[in-house]
Coordinates of all heavy atoms in Angstrom, one line a residue:
H599 N 1.4 -12.1 -2.1 CA 0.4 -11.5 -3.0 C 0.3 -12.4 -4.2 O 1.3 -13.0 -4.7 CB 0.9 -10.1 -3.5 CG 0.8 -9.0 -2.5 ND1 -0.4 -8.5 -2.0 CD2 1.8 -8.4 -1.8 CE1 -0.2 -7.6 -1.1 NE2 1.1 -7.5 -1.0
S600 N -0.9 -12.5 -4.8 CA -1.1 -13.4 -6.0 C -0.2 -13.0 -7.1 O 0.2 -13.9 -7.9 CB -2.6 -13.4 -6.4 OG -3.1 -12.1 -6.6
V601 N 0.1 -11.7 -7.3 CA 1.0 -11.3 -8.4 C 2.4 -11.9 -8.3 O 3.1 -11.9 -9.3 CB 1.0 -9.8 -8.6 CG1 1.9 -9.2 -7.5 CG2 1.5 -9.4 -9.9
R602 N 2.7 -12.4 -7.1 CA 4.0 -13.0 -6.9 C 4.1 -14.4 -7.4 O 5.2 -15.0 -7.4 CB 4.4 -13.0 -5.4 CG 4.5 -11.6 -4.8 CD 5.9 -11.1 -5.0 NE 6.9 -12.0 -4.3 CZ 8.2 -12.0 -4.6 NH1 8.7 -11.2 -5.5 NH2 9.0 -12.9 -4.0
F603 N 3.0 -15.0 -7.9 CA 3.0 -16.3 -8.5 C 2.7 -16.2 -10.0 O 1.8 -15.6 -10.5 CB 1.9 -17.2 -7.9 CG 2.2 -17.5 -6.4 CD1 1.3 -17.0 -5.4 CD2 3.3 -18.2 -6.0 CE1 1.6 -17.3 -4.1 CE2 3.6 -18.5 -4.7 CZ 2.7 -18.0 -3.7
K604 N 3.6 -16.9 -10.8 CA 3.4 -16.9 -12.2 C 2.1 -17.5 -12.6 O 1.5 -17.1 -13.6 CB 4.5 -17.8 -12.9 CG 5.9 -17.2 -12.7 CD 7.0 -18.2 -13.1 CE 8.4 -17.7 -12.8 NZ 9.5 -18.6 -13.2
D605 N 1.6 -18.5 -11.8 CA 0.3 -19.1 -12.1 C -0.8 -18.1 -12.2 O -1.8 -18.4 -12.9 CB 0.0 -20.2 -11.0 CG 1.2 -21.0 -10.7 OD1 2.2 -20.5 -10.2 OD2 1.2 -22.3 -10.9
F606 N -0.7 -17.0 -11.4 CA -1.8 -16.0 -11.3 C -1.7 -14.9 -12.3 O -2.6 -14.1 -12.5 CB -1.9 -15.4 -9.9 CG -2.6 -16.3 -8.9 CD1 -1.9 -17.3 -8.2 CD2 -3.9 -16.1 -8.6 CE1 -2.5 -18.1 -7.3 CE2 -4.6 -16.9 -7.7 CZ -3.9 -17.9 -7.0
H607 N -0.6 -14.9 -13.1 CA -0.4 -13.7 -14.0 C -1.5 -13.5 -15.0 O -1.8 -12.4 -15.4 CB 1.0 -13.8 -14.6 CG 2.1 -13.4 -13.6 ND1 3.5 -13.5 -13.9 CD2 2.1 -13.0 -12.4 CE1 4.2 -13.2 -12.9 NE2 3.4 -12.8 -11.9
P608 N -2.1 -14.6 -15.6 CA -3.2 -14.4 -16.5 C -4.3 -13.6 -15.9 O -5.1 -12.9 -16.6 CB -3.6 -15.8 -16.9 CG -2.4 -16.6 -16.7 CD -1.7 -16.0 -15.5
C609 N -4.5 -13.6 -14.6 CA -5.6 -12.9 -13.9 C -5.3 -11.4 -14.0 O -6.2 -10.6 -13.7 CB -5.7 -13.4 -12.5 SG -6.2 -15.1 -12.3
F610 N -4.1 -11.0 -14.3 CA -3.7 -9.6 -14.3 C -3.7 -9.0 -15.7 O -3.3 -7.9 -16.0 CB -2.4 -9.3 -13.6 CG -2.4 -9.5 -12.1 CD1 -2.3 -10.8 -11.6 CD2 -2.5 -8.4 -11.3 CE1 -2.3 -11.0 -10.2 CE2 -2.5 -8.6 -9.9 CZ -2.4 -9.9 -9.4
K611 N -4.2 -9.8 -16.7 CA -4.2 -9.4 -18.1 C -4.8 -8.0 -18.3 O -4.1 -7.1 -18.9 CB -4.9 -10.5 -18.9 CG -4.9 -10.1 -20.4 CD -5.6 -11.3 -21.2 CE -5.5 -11.0 -22.7 NZ -6.4 -9.7 -23.0
E612 N -6.0 -7.8 -17.9 CA -6.7 -6.6 -18.2 C -6.1 -5.4 -17.4 O -6.0 -4.3 -17.9 CB -8.2 -6.7 -17.8 CG -8.9 -7.6 -18.7 CD -8.9 -9.1 -18.3 OE1 -8.2 -9.3 -17.2 OE2 -9.5 -10.0 -18.9
A613 N -5.7 -5.7 -16.1 CA -5.0 -4.6 -15.3 C -3.7 -4.2 -16.0 O -3.3 -3.0 -16.0 CB -4.8 -5.1 -13.9
R614 N -3.0 -5.2 -16.5 CA -1.7 -4.9 -17.2 C -1.9 -4.0 -18.4 O -1.1 -3.2 -18.7 CB -1.1 -6.2 -17.6 CG 0.3 -6.1 -18.1 CD 0.8 -7.5 -18.3 NE 2.2 -7.6 -18.8 CZ 3.0 -8.7 -18.8 NH1 2.5 -9.8 -18.4 NH2 4.2 -8.6 -19.3
E615 N -3.0 -4.2 -19.1 CA -3.3 -3.5 -20.3 C -4.0 -2.1 -20.1 O -4.2 -1.4 -21.1 CB -4.1 -4.3 -21.3 CG -3.4 -5.6 -21.7 CD -4.3 -6.6 -22.5 OE1 -5.5 -6.3 -22.5 OE2 -3.8 -7.6 -23.1
Y616 N -4.3 -1.9 -18.9 CA -5.1 -0.7 -18.5 C -4.4 0.6 -18.8 O -5.0 1.6 -19.3 CB -5.6 -0.7 -17.1 CG -6.6 0.3 -16.7 CD1 -8.0 0.0 -16.7 CD2 -6.2 1.5 -16.2 CE1 -8.9 0.9 -16.3 CE2 -7.1 2.5 -15.8 CZ -8.5 2.2 -15.9 OH -9.4 3.1 -15.5
S617 N -3.1 0.7 -18.4 CA -2.3 1.9 -18.6 C -0.8 1.5 -18.7 O -0.4 0.4 -18.2 CB -2.6 2.9 -17.5 OG -2.0 2.4 -16.3
L618 N 0.0 2.4 -19.1 CA 1.4 2.2 -19.2 C 2.0 2.0 -17.8 O 2.8 1.1 -17.5 CB 2.1 3.3 -19.9 CG 3.7 3.2 -20.0 CD1 4.1 2.0 -20.7 CD2 4.2 4.5 -20.7
Y619 N 1.5 2.8 -16.8 CA 1.9 2.7 -15.4 C 1.7 1.3 -14.9 O 2.6 0.6 -14.3 CB 1.2 3.7 -14.5 CG 1.5 3.5 -13.1 CD1 2.6 4.0 -12.5 CD2 0.6 2.8 -12.3 CE1 2.9 3.8 -11.1 CE2 0.8 2.6 -10.9 CZ 1.9 3.1 -10.3 OH 2.2 2.9 -9.0
Q620 N 0.5 0.8 -15.1 CA 0.1 -0.5 -14.6 C 0.9 -1.6 -15.3 O 1.3 -2.7 -14.7 CB -1.4 -0.8 -14.7 CG -2.1 0.1 -13.7 CD -3.6 -0.1 -13.7 OE1 -4.4 0.8 -13.1 NE2 -4.1 -1.1 -14.3
K621 N 1.1 -1.5 -16.6 CA 1.9 -2.4 -17.4 C 3.3 -2.6 -16.8 O 3.8 -3.7 -16.6 CB 2.0 -2.0 -18.8 CG 2.7 -3.0 -19.7 CD 2.6 -2.5 -21.2 CE 3.2 -3.5 -22.2 NZ 4.7 -3.6 -22.0
R622 N 3.9 -1.4 -16.5 CA 5.2 -1.5 -15.9 C 5.2 -2.1 -14.5 O 6.1 -2.8 -14.2 CB 5.8 0.0 -15.9 CG 6.2 0.5 -17.2 CD 6.6 2.0 -17.2 NE 7.0 2.5 -18.5 CZ 7.2 3.8 -18.7 NH1 6.9 4.7 -17.8 NH2 7.7 4.1 -19.9
W623 N 4.2 -1.8 -13.8 CA 4.1 -2.3 -12.4 C 4.0 -3.8 -12.4 O 4.7 -4.5 -11.7 CB 2.9 -1.7 -11.7 CG 2.8 -2.1 -10.2 CD1 3.3 -1.5 -9.2 CD2 2.1 -3.3 -9.7 NE1 3.0 -2.2 -8.0 CE2 2.2 -3.3 -8.3 CE3 1.3 -4.3 -10.3 CZ2 1.7 -4.2 -7.5 CZ3 0.8 -5.3 -9.5 CH2 1.0 -5.3 -8.1

């Protein structure tokens, strides 16, 4: 999965900030 690569983590910025659940995930 792309989330398994550090290089892709900036692509998850908005998803990470969407909710506490998603931030923890």
